[in-house]
Amino acid sequence: MDYSKMKNTLKKATPTSTQQTIIASGLYPGYLKAGAGTGKTKVLIDKILRILEDDPDAGLDNFAIITFTNKATEEMKERLMHRIYFEWLKHHKDTIATKTKTPPFMRKQVEISNMLDISTIHSFCEKLLRQYGLQMGLPLNFKIKSVRKETNDIINRVIDRHHNNSVFARIPQHKLAKLIDMLLKNNKSIGIDIDEDFLRQTHFNTPDNEYWNQFKQLFLQIYLEVDREIEDYKISENILTINDLIKKAARLLEIGYVQDKVAQKYKYVFIDEFQDTNQDQFKLVRHLLTKGVKIFLVGDDKQSIYAFRGSDVQNSLEMAKIIDEIMAQAGEEHISDQSVMNENFRTDYQLLEIINEIFQQKFTHNNHELRFPQMRLEKIEEHKNRKQLIAKPLRIVFETPLETIIHSIIQDPTVQIPSDSGSGSRPANYGDICVLFRSNFDLDSAASALRASNIPIEVVGGKSFYKAQEIIDTFKLFNSMIHSSPVYQTELKFTDYYKALLTNEGGIGIDKFLSDLKVVFKRESIEGILNYIYDTTMIQEYYRHNQEYQKIANLNKLKDKARNLMTDDAMQPLQFLEYLQVMISSNQEEDDASIPEHDRSHGLVSLYSIHKAKGLDFPIVIIPHLDKRLNRKTIEPNIIFLVNERELAINHSFIGDSELKPDLDFARLHEHEELELLEEEIRVLYVALTRAKHLIVLSCEKSQGLLVGMKNRAEYASWAKWINGINRGNFLRQYIHIINL
């Protein structure tokens, strides 16, 4: 990177007084609550560099920096390495000017910067287990893989052993198996263990609920049998699952010898996104705290949105309480006051005030107040005085197709985006727009509609890879080459490969192509076959001409998958064809490929799931389906388990036996579960809105009249209903936007 350019970039990012206090603080442990867009990554990097300057006994090899995703890991490593190089370069230039020597310590950090221990929590735990696992009898050459198929086999085998039990006669075996599988997945992701002691202390005595009381007691016994057999299988095959990595590492750190070794190696442990922590991750940090490792956590309880992966915001709240108690015992009673960043650098001042107004209300459902941490996002004075380019930065629309909304933004002369140079502005283009979706189903449906409208898009976080036309076309091409049936030959004529060959001037015809492909098929690997297909049909050039960059990225991902399957499983071309058929016919969910930066620069509307967009920002954000019901019957859980209360409930509608009375515990436990779900939905909306820099468009599928009518339905919950409740509906009416094209 150019020195002067880097210098100018860093000058623009001068820390605020709040950030300077946090960077300079030498108090540990610490938990920084960093709001959306407050510059937490920069603070983390500056704090690490400050430690390197102040602590003569600490080097980069004494840090463990743990992030939530692989992408965040790569970004953190790149930014930290750039900063270390910049600091060395700055020292080096100063020493040349003053004719002194460059500090050897800083030079050493540059030399070892590529060895930075920045990783996801799973990678960090794997490293500990590979190094110290023998201390708990774990072979160091363990394999990391899923045991989904084996789990299904074990569940059915255990249920078969109990098929004569009259208690289970009313429940179809496949539904009983599904309930066990659901509870297993839920407990493993949360970090919950059920053992014999737990079962002995659990009693189900709900009056007038005799059948379900007995069922649940026996059900948990079967669950324990299944769990034990799965563990025995993993031990016999030397396998750990992804969830096992954290669980085993937490147990490993209970061993004194390992604690000492880890504490000697890692003087500082920094953990980002701590609000998305499960029970096992919580225990792991507790063990490090007890050994005196200098822990620095960063998180934001308002952005805890990964309950489906087992995270629980209560773990974050409890850890903050523990750290406050540790600091109070050390005489640092007001440390929590110095561990909050709420100065936002991302969002325009006027839009930020609107977002604050939305989240300062009291969210309620069915006469219950929902919990949401109240903390305003503030702007520093310099940013408050900036000119607001968009007069109406929040727009609420009704009954308007997504493609119409996008076209209206592009054609609106009042929507101006600040230029990259910092002076002046420019009209909005496709590349400024991101559409955020709550569900992958809605994302995939919108992607199809936008493609049909010839709007260039990229899809991030959708699960439609094996449903994509280009993947299915590849499967059809393989079939038409292998089988001579007229059906397959006809199907080929409706594929993009056929169209690409027709438009390829000077190219070979379809018959010659298929004939040559048969020869290639016999002698090449799967990757080689795909290379030949892509090159000969010029399919990627065809897609690039039509600005269909997602399809290009998906074809490259298919080739990567083929290479991995060949390397890992020695898969041959015919087996690959069978593999594709299974994945396509079973509607297997798989993320679409990421589009490379050079293709995205052409101007694509980005389609993200809200979870995938976390940590990112966009000039313009559109959030459709604002009026979609959040607590639909279709998303009711089939089994509820509250471990602390030792309560279990089964959803009667899942069983589907009209003669069987409902479990009386379900309605009560579901009310508790529903309130927690809706509290997370508030946080999901918060994450979505705080991605925007200049403009937010909220879209409702139904009419304004229908939304107002939902006001009196206490059991109905939606984001739109909450927004309509602000200031008795005046807030929503203020921002209604009519689109006229």
Side-chain angles (χ1 to χ4, degrees):
M1 181 180 286
D2 179 74
Y3 173 78
S4 59
K5 185 177 179 181
M6 186 187 293
K7 188 174 181 180
N8 290 332
T9 301
L10 295 173
K11 275 184 177 179
K12 292 178 184 177
T14 302
T16 65
S17 59
T18 301
Q19 291 175 336
Q20 287 172 347
T21 300
I22 294 163
I23 292 165
S25 172
L27 298 173
Y28 296 94
Y31 192 166
L32 171 62
K33 296 298 180 79
T38 57
K40 64 171 183 175
T41 304
K42 173 179 167 45
V43 168
L44 277 172
I45 291 171
D46 283 357
K47 191 169 182 67
I48 292 167
L49 291 171
R50 182 63 176 265
I51 292 169
L52 292 174
E53 289 180 7
D54 293 348
D55 186 347
D57 298 323
L60 286 173
D61 49 343
N62 298 128
F63 283 84
I65 304 165
I66 299 171
T67 59
F68 192 67
T69 64
N70 289 322
K71 185 174 181 180
T73 297
E74 292 166 8
E75 181 187 356
M76 175 73 79
K77 190 164 189 173
E78 182 180 4
R79 289 178 64 174
L80 187 50
M81 287 176 68
H82 279 161
R83 279 298 310 278
I84 290 168
Y85 177 70
F86 172 79
E87 293 299 324
W88 172 80
L89 198 59
K90 185 173 68 173
H91 280 293
H92 185 62
K93 282 181 171 286
D94 290 343
T95 55
I96 292 174
T98 58
K99 297 183 179 180
T100 57
K101 290 184 178 180
T102 304
F105 177 77
M106 186 58 68
R107 181 179 180 84
K108 180 186 175 185
Q109 303 314 310
V110 172
E111 291 172 351
I112 67 171
S113 62
N114 63 335
M115 299 169 61
L116 271 169
D117 197 344
I118 303 179
S119 59
T120 63
I121 184 68
H122 295 97
S123 297
F124 177 74
C125 290
E126 181 188 354
K127 191 177 300 180
L128 293 182
L129 293 170
R130 298 281 186 202
Q131 193 163 3
Y132 303 111
L134 288 176
Q135 296 294 322
M136 59 189 301
L138 178 69
L140 302 184
N141 63 339
F142 60 82
K143 302 180 287 289
I144 303 171
K145 61 183 293 188
S146 168
V147 291
R148 291 296 309 142
K149 180 183 180 302
E150 293 77 13
T151 294
N152 291 334
D153 293 342
I154 290 169
I155 289 173
N156 287 311
R157 188 163 63 242
V158 172
I159 290 175
D160 283 342
R161 292 204 295 262
H162 294 269
H163 74 280
N164 289 326
N165 193 313
S166 60
V167 175
F168 298 127
R170 304 289 298 272
I171 313 292
Q173 178 167 327
H174 73 278
K175 293 198 172 183
L176 184 59
K178 185 72 173 175
L179 289 173
I180 292 172
D181 187 50
M182 288 174 182
L183 190 57
L184 271 170
K185 286 195 286 191
N186 184 62
N187 288 351
K188 298 305 179 186
S189 63
I190 292 173
I192 293 174
D193 281 325
I194 303 176
D195 55 19
E196 293 287 357
D197 288 339
F198 182 93
L199 193 57
R200 280 193 291 270
Q201 298 171 35
T202 301
H203 303 283
F204 300 102
N205 300 313
T206 303
D208 302 320
N209 206 33
E210 289 81 4
Y211 171 78
W212 289 110
N213 291 339
Q214 190 177 7
F215 171 87
K216 286 181 275 192
Q217 197 75 36
L218 293 171
F219 175 83
L220 285 181
Q221 289 178 359
I222 291 182
Y223 174 95
L224 282 181
E225 288 182 41
V226 169
D227 195 26
R228 280 196 296 265
E229 290 199 20
I230 292 170
E231 293 305 311
D232 289 344
Y233 170 78
K234 288 190 292 188
I235 290 171
S236 68
E237 297 296 320
N238 195 21
I239 290 172
L240 294 185
T241 64
I242 288 292
N243 287 325
D244 288 334
L245 293 175
I246 304 174
K247 184 178 293 295
K248 297 283 188 185
R251 290 177 181 170
L252 183 66
L253 287 175
E254 294 174 0
I255 301 171
Y257 169 80
V258 178
Q259 283 184 348
D260 291 338
K261 287 293 185 182
V262 172
Q264 289 170 14
K265 165 67 176 172
Y266 299 113
K267 296 180 180 179
Y268 298 91
V269 174
F270 284 33
I271 304 178
D272 195 10
E273 303 287 3
F274 194 77
Q275 76 278 349
D276 296 317
T277 300
N278 71 6
Q279 278 287 328
D280 288 326
Q281 293 162 342
F282 177 88
K283 291 173 187 173
L284 187 145
V285 174
R286 280 294 305 266
H287 294 321
L288 293 173
L289 279 175
T290 58
K291 204 59 188 175
V293 175
K294 293 179 178 179
I295 301 284
F296 187 71
L297 311 175
V298 182
D300 181 10
D301 298 331
K302 299 186 297 303
Q303 298 188 68
S304 176
I305 61 171
Y306 284 96
F308 68 93
R309 288 185 184 171
S311 71
D312 185 347
V313 70
Q314 294 304 314
N315 292 324
S316 172
L317 296 170
E318 180 64 21
M319 183 57 69
K321 182 180 175 183
I322 290 169
I323 288 176
D324 280 347
E325 289 172 354
I326 292 173
M327 299 310 293
Q329 291 170 5
E332 303 290 345
E333 296 183 6
H334 301 292
I335 185 63
S336 59
D337 298 335
Q338 303 171 24
S339 298
V340 174
M341 289 198 319
N342 65 344
E343 292 172 324
N344 178 283
F345 298 89
R346 173 184 298 156
T347 305
D348 289 344
Y349 176 63
Q350 187 179 350
L351 183 55
L352 192 67
E353 287 299 292
I354 294 170
I355 293 171
N356 281 329
E357 187 174 356
I358 291 172
F359 291 100
Q360 282 169 351
Q361 68 168 306
K362 287 186 177 180
F363 293 87
T364 61
H365 174 68
N366 218 356
N367 299 318
H368 291 280
E369 185 171 335
L370 302 173
R371 296 169 298 179
F372 181 77
Q374 298 288 341
M375 184 180 77
R376 282 177 54 84
L377 289 170
E378 304 288 356
K379 300 296 281 188
I380 60 176
E381 287 301 319
E382 176 190 346
H383 291 172
K384 284 183 182 179
N385 297 326
R386 285 181 180 173
K387 181 181 178 182
Q388 302 295 303
L389 293 176
I390 302 176
K392 196 174 180 182
L394 175 67
R395 301 175 179 185
I396 302 174
V397 300
F398 292 89
E399 300 180 285
T400 307
L402 181 56
E403 54 268 30
T404 303
I405 296 172
I406 291 171
H407 284 308
S408 74
I409 292 170
I410 299 298
Q411 297 174 23
D412 188 343
T414 69
V415 178
Q416 294 290 309
I417 307 300
S419 64
D420 295 335
S421 63
S423 60
S425 62
R426 58 171 176 77
N429 59 50
Y430 286 131
D432 296 317
I433 300 173
C434 177
V435 190
L436 297 179
F437 296 87
R438 182 63 185 88
S439 75
N440 287 316
F441 175 81
D442 291 334
L443 189 156
D444 293 338
S445 298
S448 297
L450 293 179
R451 287 189 185 107
S453 300
N454 295 318
I455 293 178
I457 64 170
E458 66 162 335
V459 179
V460 183
K463 297 290 183 181
S464 60
F465 177 76
Y466 288 109
K467 303 173 194 172
Q469 177 189 345
E470 58 275 14
I471 304 304
I472 296 172
D473 280 358
T474 305
F475 173 71
K476 289 178 178 178
L477 174 57
F478 272 86
N479 262 336
S480 64
M481 184 255 314
I482 293 172
H483 305 288
S484 57
S485 167
V487 174
Y488 295 115
Q489 301 302 315
T490 301
E491 279 191 342
L492 178 61
K493 292 182 180 180
F494 293 96
T495 67
D496 286 341
Y497 288 109
Y498 189 83
K499 296 173 189 174
L501 279 169
L502 289 179
T503 58
N504 183 8
E505 293 183 9
I508 63 176
I510 187 68
D511 293 334
K512 177 76 163 74
F513 167 66
L514 290 176
S515 175
D516 290 350
L517 182 57
K518 287 180 181 179
V519 176
V520 174
F521 193 83
K522 292 176 182 177
R523 69 184 185 210
E524 290 284 351
S525 66
I526 311 165
E527 183 184 5
I529 296 167
L530 289 174
N531 277 330
Y532 176 79
I533 291 171
Y534 297 171
D535 292 343
T536 307
T537 62
M538 298 183 70
I539 186 69
Q540 293 183 318
E541 288 76 4
Y542 173 79
Y543 284 146
R544 187 163 279 111
H545 175 75
N546 294 320
Q547 293 188 310
E548 295 179 302
Y549 302 109
Q550 185 69 62
K551 293 184 177 183
I552 297 171
N554 280 346
L555 287 180
N556 287 330
K557 178 172 179 173
L558 182 66
K559 188 166 64 174
D560 291 340
K561 279 188 165 294
R563 184 189 308 116
N564 293 336
L565 288 167
M566 180 65 194
T567 302
D568 298 340
D569 302 324
M571 187 176 284
Q572 299 303 308
L574 279 175
Q575 293 173 304
F576 181 69
L577 182 62
E578 293 171 2
Y579 163 85
L580 268 186
Q581 182 176 22
V582 169
M583 303 303 275
I584 292 170
S585 61
S586 63
N587 291 319
Q588 185 70 28
E589 290 192 342
E590 171 78 22
D591 287 353
D592 285 294
S594 298
I595 298 178
E597 187 65 36
H598 61 81
D599 282 337
R600 281 196 280 117
S601 64
H602 288 271
L604 306 172
V605 175
S606 299
L607 274 59
Y608 275 77
S609 69
I610 295 172
H611 290 84
K612 284 281 186 180
K614 193 165 177 286
L616 305 176
D617 57 63
F618 310 92
I620 300 168
V621 166
I622 302 172
I623 304 175
H625 310 294
L626 198 75
D627 51 349
K628 189 169 186 175
R629 186 168 183 173
L630 300 172
N631 55 340
R632 304 181 304 280
K633 282 286 183 183
T634 53
I635 59 173
E636 278 188 359
N638 296 318
I639 184 169
I640 300 174
F641 181 57
L642 305 182
V643 62
N644 293 331
E645 290 76 13
R646 285 177 163 72
E647 292 191 287
L648 183 72
I650 309 297
N651 188 347
H652 179 261
S653 63
F654 172 72
I655 303 303
D657 186 341
S658 59
E659 297 180 5
L660 189 62
K661 292 182 179 180
D663 178 3
L664 297 179
D665 291 323
F666 184 79
R668 176 176 54 84
L669 267 60
H670 182 244
E671 181 180 42
H672 170 90
E673 188 104 331
E674 183 178 66
L675 294 177
E676 287 196 344
L677 176 148
L678 293 177
E679 286 171 352
E680 180 167 90
E681 291 294 348
I682 301 171
R683 301 194 294 267
V684 172
L685 177 61
Y686 177 84
V687 168
L689 293 179
T690 53
R691 298 311 94 200
K693 297 166 73 174
H694 309 300
L695 172 65
I696 295 173
V697 180
L698 305 178
S699 170
C700 297
E701 289 189 297
K702 302 180 182 67
S703 68
Q704 184 184 356
L706 284 174
L707 174 60
V708 172
M710 295 297 176
K711 183 178 179 181
N712 297 322
R713 290 180 56 184
E715 79 287 353
Y716 181 95
S718 74
W719 290 338
K721 182 180 178 183
W722 284 329
I723 289 176
N724 188 44
I726 303 172
N727 195 17
R728 300 180 180 179
N730 289 325
F731 176 90
L732 181 139
R733 285 191 288 272
Q734 180 183 354
Y735 295 106
I736 289 177
H737 183 71
I738 307 298
I739 294 175
N740 296 310
L741 286 180

